[in-house]
Amino acid sequence: MKQLLCLILITFSLKLAAVQLTIVSEDLPPLQMNNHEKPASGAMVDVVHLLLKEAELSAQLQFYPWARSYKIAQTQKNTLIFSMFRDPSREKYFQWIGKIFTLESFLVALKSRNDIQINQLNDAKKYLVGSIRDDLAETYLTAHGFKEKQNLYLNSAYPALWKIFFNGRTDIAFTNSTWAYEIKNTGLDPNKIKVLYKIPNITSDLYIAASLNTDKTMVIKLKKALATIKADGRYQKILTKWHL
């Protein structure tokens, strides 16, 4: 009986190992980056690789524009997708494995600016705040009374925002959890920055999920693996490596 049980378990494990998983994502530095001819990189790529290793599964990672990745993950068998916002409109279309990152929003300033004190958002209206045009941050700030050319300076992209900020043309920058990576990638020093204020009510949880017709045993293994790498510190070590 014991030998039969072992044989069944071995056969089941071999069948599971033989199933080829596909993982789809989009290019979203520094969380996931498609390096084309080179291996993909990024904090969430590292997390997903570790997750697969812990679950003893293998997969092929493919990058597409988000709309295509989303459609593939909805329709194809044994397919995972990351990093994806979870909301009620998406809930029934996926098997949700777990949260892999939380994006938060902040107001930051140079450490040398001891004159800037922010206890609430309205305090920032006395200063010139840098943000990105047509971004959620612009919508949030204008909804709370900030006005362009008065106390709001809008930039086309983050490299421009950080260069203008470091040159002293803005006092404060509205940014998110990836700010240290962005600053370093622009060739500037993130160690010169201090967080003034965490913006309330702008928190976005990012998940890894599986298509509905993905093998449920795989999903269970991945859920357990994610819990394990979070509990033993390996997940946090990856975030620290990427300054997140």
Side-chain angles (χ1 to χ4, degrees), residues 42-169:
M44 295 305 102
V45 172
D46 287 353
V47 167
V48 170
H49 283 161
L50 179 59
L51 181 61
L52 291 169
K53 182 179 179 181
E54 180 66 27
E56 298 181 330
L57 296 170
S58 61
Q60 182 180 3
L61 174 58
Q62 299 173 342
F63 283 87
Y64 302 105
W66 180 253
R68 185 177 177 189
S69 287
Y70 187 78
K71 185 173 181 61
I72 289 170
Q74 279 187 299
T75 57
Q76 291 191 10
K77 186 178 181 180
N78 296 324
T79 300
L80 309 181
I81 183 171
F82 74 99
S83 303
M84 182 163 65
F85 295 123
R86 184 175 186 175
D87 63 42
S89 68
R90 292 175 169 175
E91 192 69 27
K92 65 181 180 180
Y93 297 111
F94 299 95
Q95 299 182 74
W96 297 90
I97 293 165
K99 182 171 69 175
I100 54 174
F101 192 62
T102 299
L103 277 173
E104 297 177 318
S105 296
F106 305 93
L107 296 179
V108 302
L110 291 170
K111 288 179 179 177
S112 59
R113 292 295 303 271
N114 295 320
D115 58 306
I116 302 177
Q117 299 293 325
I118 305 294
N119 296 310
Q120 57 183 352
L121 186 62
N122 279 341
D123 293 340
K125 290 180 180 177
K126 298 181 291 185
Y127 306 97
L128 186 58
V129 179
S131 184
I132 303 297
R133 188 177 298 280
D134 296 326
D135 189 73
L136 175 64
E138 179 194 355
T139 303
Y140 182 86
L141 290 170
T142 54
H144 286 79
F146 287 78
K147 296 181 180 179
E148 189 175 3
K149 297 181 181 178
Q150 181 177 319
N151 49 19
L152 179 60
Y153 188 104
L154 296 175
N155 300 268
S156 60
Y158 274 108
L161 180 150
W162 293 121
K163 288 175 183 177
I164 288 170
F165 172 77
F166 270 81
N167 286 336
R169 291 168 58 190

Side-chain angles (χ1 to χ4, degrees), residues 50-51 54 221-235:
L50 179 59
L51 181 61
E54 180 66 27
K221 284 174 69 73
L222 288 164
K223 285 182 177 181
K224 289 180 178 178
L226 183 57
T228 298
I229 65 172
K230 285 184 175 181
D232 65 18
R234 285 179 289 167
Y235 167 82

Side-chain angles (χ1 to χ4, degrees), residues 152-208:
L152 179 60
Y153 188 104
L154 296 175
N155 300 268
S156 60
Y158 274 108
L161 180 150
W162 293 121
K163 288 175 183 177
I164 288 170
F165 172 77
F166 270 81
N167 286 336
R169 291 168 58 190
T170 55
D171 305 304
I172 296 170
F174 189 115
T175 185
N176 60 41
S177 305
T178 65
W179 62 267
Y181 174 86
E182 290 166 359
I183 292 171
K184 188 175 181 180
N185 203 45
T186 308
L188 300 166
D189 185 2
N191 293 314
K192 292 183 178 181
I193 299 296
K194 61 182 176 182
V195 173
L196 295 170
Y197 182 68
K198 179 181 174 182
I199 305 294
N201 305 320
I202 303 188
T203 299
S204 302
D205 291 335
L206 299 175
Y207 282 74
I208 182 169

Side-chain angles (χ1 to χ4, degrees), residues 2-37:
K2 189 174 180 180
Q3 288 179 327
L4 178 60
L5 180 60
C6 288
L7 181 60
I8 292 171
L9 288 173
I10 291 170
T11 303
F12 179 77
S13 297
L14 288 172
K15 284 183 178 179
L16 198 60
V19 175
Q20 180 61 47
L21 271 174
T22 297
I23 306 180
V24 292
S25 190
E26 66 171 336
D27 193 51
L28 186 65
L31 302 183
Q32 56 253 13
M33 293 175 280
N34 181 11
N35 298 321
H36 302 289
E37 295 180 1

